Amino acid sequence: MMLPYPVPLDAVHSSLVALALEIGGPKAIDRMMTAPADDIQRVEAAAGVPLDSLLAVWQRRVTASRPRHEVFGASFGVLWMTTLLFLIARRRPSCA
């Protein structure tokens, strides 16, 4: 049984091709079209670097693009907990 990929393969493929064209410069599309019909060879030709180097650059970009909520998330958590503690402290018992 195979587990599904978290990101559709079409999106990964399109992203890698776009990165290869960006890294390859102005003549990347020409090199891609003159390369053999194999997808890997075409991407390598367009980028001008081996596939493993292209994947390393792609992985760094994907990792760097994830949202970071370190300061805001911690501040929000402290504010939320302070508000809850304040509301609990102000609560008066209803039985008198």
Side-chain angles (χ1 to χ4, degrees):
M1 182 172 126
M2 286 187 55
L3 296 175
Y5 288 107
V7 177
L9 289 179
D10 291 339
V12 173
H13 183 265
S14 299
S15 177
L16 279 172
V17 169
L19 179 62
L21 292 173
E22 179 184 336
I23 289 175
K27 298 287 185 182
I29 194 77
D30 295 332
R31 289 192 307 270
M32 181 182 248
M33 292 302 156
T34 58
D38 183 28
D39 284 344
I40 294 174
Q41 290 177 351
R42 283 190 173 189
V43 169
E44 287 178 338
V49 296
L51 184 63
D52 58 346
S53 299
L54 183 67
L55 286 171
V57 172
W58 178 79
Q59 185 178 21
R60 281 193 300 270
R61 283 192 179 188
V62 168
T63 303
S65 69
R66 73 185 180 108
R68 302 192 193 285
H69 302 290
E70 294 143 0
V71 174
F72 179 73
S75 301
F76 182 75
V78 168
L79 180 64
W80 181 248
M81 289 304 293
T82 305
T83 304
L84 284 176
L85 289 174
F86 175 74
L87 291 174
I88 289 171
R90 282 199 37 100
R91 196 175 120 200
R92 297 188 183 130
S94 59
C95 58

